[in-house]
Amino acid sequence: MQQQRPVGWWVKRLDELLERGLDDVVAAEGLSRRHWQVLDSLAGGPSARPELAAAFASFATPGRVDVVVADLAARAWVEDRGGLLALTDDGRAAHGRLAGAVAAFRRRVADGLSAEEYAATVAGLARMVANLER
Protein backbone atom coordinates (compact mmCIF):
# COMPACT_ATOMS: atom_id res chain seq x y z
CA MET A 1 0.00 0.00 0.00
CA GLN A 2 2.72 2.51 0.94
CA GLN A 3 4.52 2.21 -2.39
CA GLN A 4 1.28 3.05 -4.21
CA ARG A 5 1.00 6.49 -2.65
CA PRO A 6 1.77 9.37 -5.01
CA VAL A 7 4.82 11.59 -4.67
CA GLY A 8 2.68 14.43 -3.29
CA TRP A 9 1.69 12.32 -0.30
CA TRP A 10 5.33 11.46 0.44
CA VAL A 11 6.48 15.07 0.04
CA LYS A 12 3.74 16.36 2.35
CA ARG A 13 4.44 13.65 4.96
CA LEU A 14 8.19 14.27 4.81
CA ASP A 15 7.64 18.02 5.22
CA GLU A 16 5.46 17.41 8.29
CA LEU A 17 8.09 15.12 9.83
CA LEU A 18 10.95 17.50 9.02
CA GLU A 19 9.05 20.42 10.53
CA ARG A 20 8.18 18.54 13.72
CA GLY A 21 11.58 16.87 14.01
CA LEU A 22 13.59 20.06 13.64
CA ASP A 23 11.22 21.90 15.98
CA ASP A 24 11.94 19.16 18.55
CA VAL A 25 15.71 19.50 18.02
CA VAL A 26 15.74 23.25 18.69
CA ALA A 27 12.99 23.30 21.32
CA ALA A 28 15.50 23.16 24.19
CA GLU A 29 16.47 26.72 23.24
CA GLY A 30 12.81 27.76 22.92
CA LEU A 31 13.11 27.96 19.15
CA SER A 32 11.28 26.73 16.08
CA ARG A 33 12.54 25.55 12.72
CA ARG A 34 12.14 29.09 11.37
CA HIS A 35 14.40 30.43 14.13
CA TRP A 36 17.01 27.86 13.18
CA GLN A 37 16.72 28.72 9.49
CA VAL A 38 17.28 32.42 10.19
CA LEU A 39 20.16 31.72 12.59
CA ASP A 40 21.78 29.36 10.11
CA SER A 41 21.33 31.78 7.24
CA LEU A 42 22.86 34.66 9.20
CA ALA A 43 25.72 32.40 10.33
CA GLY A 44 26.81 32.57 6.70
CA GLY A 45 27.00 36.36 6.86
CA PRO A 46 24.86 39.47 7.33
CA SER A 47 21.75 39.91 5.23
CA ALA A 48 19.35 42.73 4.45
CA ARG A 49 15.86 42.07 5.79
CA PRO A 50 14.21 41.90 2.32
CA GLU A 51 16.76 39.35 1.08
CA LEU A 52 16.30 37.28 4.22
CA ALA A 53 12.51 37.33 3.79
CA ALA A 54 12.90 36.38 0.11
CA ALA A 55 15.14 33.45 1.01
CA PHE A 56 12.35 32.01 3.16
CA ALA A 57 9.42 32.89 0.92
CA SER A 58 8.60 29.19 0.41
CA PHE A 59 8.50 28.61 4.15
CA ALA A 60 7.20 31.77 5.80
CA THR A 61 5.61 35.11 5.05
CA PRO A 62 7.77 38.24 5.43
CA GLY A 63 5.72 39.02 8.55
CA ARG A 64 6.60 35.66 10.08
CA VAL A 65 10.28 36.22 9.29
CA ASP A 66 10.03 39.63 10.99
CA VAL A 67 8.54 37.97 14.11
CA VAL A 68 11.40 35.46 14.19
CA VAL A 69 14.01 38.20 13.69
CA ALA A 70 12.39 40.27 16.46
CA ASP A 71 12.50 37.29 18.81
CA LEU A 72 16.14 36.62 18.01
CA ALA A 73 16.92 40.33 18.50
CA ALA A 74 15.14 40.29 21.87
CA ARG A 75 17.48 37.45 22.87
CA ALA A 76 20.41 39.65 21.71
CA TRP A 77 21.31 37.00 19.10
CA VAL A 78 20.65 39.21 16.07
CA GLU A 79 21.28 42.90 15.56
CA ASP A 80 20.78 45.43 12.80
CA ARG A 81 24.10 46.77 11.58
CA GLY A 82 23.31 49.64 9.26
CA GLY A 83 20.46 47.84 7.49
CA LEU A 84 22.06 44.41 7.58
CA LEU A 85 20.93 41.78 10.04
CA ALA A 86 23.85 39.96 11.64
CA LEU A 87 24.46 37.48 14.42
CA THR A 88 25.91 38.82 17.64
CA ASP A 89 28.53 36.88 19.58
CA ASP A 90 25.69 35.31 21.60
CA GLY A 91 23.88 34.46 18.36
CA ARG A 92 26.97 32.73 16.99
CA ALA A 93 27.27 30.81 20.26
CA ALA A 94 23.61 29.74 20.05
CA HIS A 95 24.12 28.65 16.44
CA GLY A 96 27.16 26.65 17.52
CA ARG A 97 25.21 24.95 20.32
CA LEU A 98 22.48 23.89 17.91
CA ALA A 99 24.54 23.04 14.82
CA GLY A 100 25.63 19.62 16.05
CA ALA A 101 22.11 18.54 16.99
CA VAL A 102 20.74 19.77 13.66
CA ALA A 103 23.49 17.92 11.79
CA ALA A 104 22.65 14.72 13.71
CA PHE A 105 18.97 15.16 12.79
CA ARG A 106 19.88 15.60 9.12
CA ARG A 107 21.99 12.45 9.23
CA ARG A 108 19.02 10.61 10.74
CA VAL A 109 16.78 11.81 7.92
CA ALA A 110 19.15 10.34 5.32
CA ASP A 111 19.97 7.17 7.28
CA GLY A 112 20.23 4.17 4.97
CA LEU A 113 20.68 6.27 1.83
CA SER A 114 24.00 6.34 0.07
CA ALA A 115 25.35 9.75 -0.92
CA GLU A 116 24.37 8.91 -4.50
CA GLU A 117 20.80 7.94 -3.51
CA TYR A 118 20.40 11.12 -1.50
CA ALA A 119 21.72 13.24 -4.38
CA ALA A 120 19.40 11.45 -6.83
CA THR A 121 16.40 12.02 -4.55
CA VAL A 122 17.14 15.72 -4.23
CA ALA A 123 17.78 16.01 -7.97
CA GLY A 124 14.49 14.25 -8.74
CA LEU A 125 12.54 16.53 -6.45
CA ALA A 126 14.28 19.59 -7.89
CA ARG A 127 13.32 18.47 -11.40
CA MET A 128 9.68 18.02 -10.34
CA VAL A 129 9.66 21.53 -8.89
CA ALA A 130 11.20 22.93 -12.07
CA ASN A 131 8.63 21.07 -14.19
CA LEU A 132 5.77 22.64 -12.24
CA GLU A 133 7.31 26.11 -12.15
CA ARG A 134 7.52 26.24 -15.96
Side-chain angles (χ1 to χ4, degrees):
M1 169 77 177
Q2 286 187 345
Q3 297 300 329
Q4 296 173 358
R5 292 186 171 145
V7 70
W9 187 92
W10 290 108
V11 169
K12 176 82 171 146
R13 183 68 178 137
L14 180 59
D15 181 61
E16 291 167 357
L17 292 169
L18 289 171
E19 194 80 24
R20 187 176 342 139
L22 200 47
D23 279 347
D24 289 349
V25 167
V26 298
E29 294 273 356
L31 304 177
S32 70
R33 181 180 185 190
R34 299 300 160 251
H35 288 89
W36 167 253
Q37 288 171 319
V38 170
L39 270 177
D40 196 45
S41 179
L42 293 177
S47 177
R49 191 177 297 263
E51 283 77 23
L52 189 64
F56 297 112
S58 294
F59 301 104
T61 65
R64 177 68 184 134
V65 174
D66 286 343
V67 167
V68 168
V69 168
D71 184 52
L72 294 173
R75 296 166 185 256
W77 291 0
V78 170
E79 63 187 1
D80 188 317
R81 295 181 186 159
L84 292 178
L85 298 171
L87 293 184
T88 63
D89 289 342
D90 287 345
R92 280 188 291 283
H95 181 267
R97 285 192 304 274
L98 293 166
V102 170
F105 174 73
R106 289 176 176 163
R107 284 190 302 275
R108 187 172 142 226
V109 169
D111 188 39
L113 295 174
S114 68
E116 294 80 16
E117 288 171 318
Y118 182 84
T121 299
V122 172
L125 291 170
R127 170 142 330 168
M128 289 178 192
V129 168
N131 289 344
L132 294 175
E133 287 180 339
R134 277 195 296 245

